[in-house]
Amino acid sequence: MPKPKIHKVEQVAKTNIFCVEQLSLEFSNGATRVYERLRAGGSGAVMIIALNEKNELLLIKEYAAGVEDYVLAFPKGLVDQGESIFAAANRELKEEVGMGAHSLYELKKVTLAPGYLSHVMSIVFAHDLYPEQLQGDEPEPIEVVPVPLDKAFELLDDPSFNEARSIAGLYLAIDHLKSIRS
């Protein structure tokens, strides 16, 4: 099926972190619509599923303004202009967990709400870790929470582990580990 023809893209609102655009579209059957989307800036984002030498997944607990609570999730952050997803993943891991990785593998690119959000995140598996801390931009220290791999699915019972991207990342990482250990 051919993609709709975009006749016009107009920015209708902008804040420090959001840009709202209207797209005037024409579909292959002649139907026209105006869609709105939140346009992501920058070069995408990464989330890192890190496995240490003790066979533990490294998660973080940090404040999430959207839900006004502390959440347990995998480390994540934006990809800087000109930075590869692997360089960004390693930088974020050093900033948020205090570890770097010699081995990084992209599990999957995911979207959150593609009907109105243009944001794309690469989920990266990291292992062969080494200690290295970089200064991050977080307003308070981040709590690192190691979870034994054999207890990973118990995270699903933890009410603070509720972010959809982290849940998807958990399943992708477990599947990846099964495939390389088979």
Side-chain angles (χ1 to χ4, degrees):
M1 180 172 292
K3 291 182 184 179
K5 183 175 181 181
I6 300 172
H7 289 288
K8 183 178 178 185
V9 177
E10 180 181 5
Q11 180 178 306
V12 294
K14 184 162 178 47
T15 72
N16 289 333
I17 60 173
F18 295 113
C19 176
V20 180
E21 293 179 336
Q22 285 185 339
L23 285 81
S24 298
L25 303 172
E26 181 180 347
F27 291 82
S28 60
N29 64 358
T32 60
R33 295 287 187 281
V34 175
Y35 280 33
E36 290 186 346
R37 70 176 175 199
L38 290 175
R39 180 77 179 162
S43 305
V46 292
M47 181 172 67
I48 309 95
I49 317 296
L51 185 69
N52 69 15
E53 74 285 347
K54 296 178 185 175
N55 227 24
E56 297 169 323
L57 296 170
L58 301 178
L59 288 89
I60 60 170
K61 188 167 256 189
E62 68 178 336
Y63 187 74
V67 294
E68 299 177 10
D69 205 356
Y70 285 87
V71 297
L72 185 62
F74 290 105
K76 66 187 94 31
L78 296 176
V79 177
D80 291 338
Q81 187 71 31
E83 189 176 40
S84 73
I85 62 165
F86 300 115
N90 223 6
R91 176 182 48 75
E92 288 293 338
L93 196 57
K94 292 173 186 178
E95 290 175 1
E96 297 187 1
V97 177
M99 302 293 285
H102 290 295
S103 182
L104 297 154
Y105 173 79
E106 184 179 33
L107 297 171
K108 188 168 185 70
K109 286 190 187 323
V110 297
T111 60
L112 187 58
Y116 62 89
L117 241 172
S118 69
H119 184 72
V120 176
M121 175 174 273
S122 294
I123 300 177
V124 175
F125 183 76
H127 63 99
D128 193 12
L129 305 181
Y130 58 91
E132 185 176 340
Q133 181 74 49
L134 290 178
Q135 182 66 39
D137 58 0
E138 289 75 16
E140 64 183 355
I142 295 175
E143 179 185 351
V144 178
V145 180
V147 174
L149 188 58
D150 62 353
K151 305 240 186 252
F153 286 118
E154 292 178 18
L155 284 166
L156 300 173
D157 296 326
D158 185 332
S160 70
F161 184 72
N162 58 21
E163 185 205 15
R165 296 174 299 180
S166 286
I167 293 168
L170 175 66
Y171 279 98
L172 288 166
I174 298 298
D175 188 57
H176 172 69
L177 287 167
K178 282 180 187 175
S179 72
I180 63 172
R181 292 180 176 172
S182 300

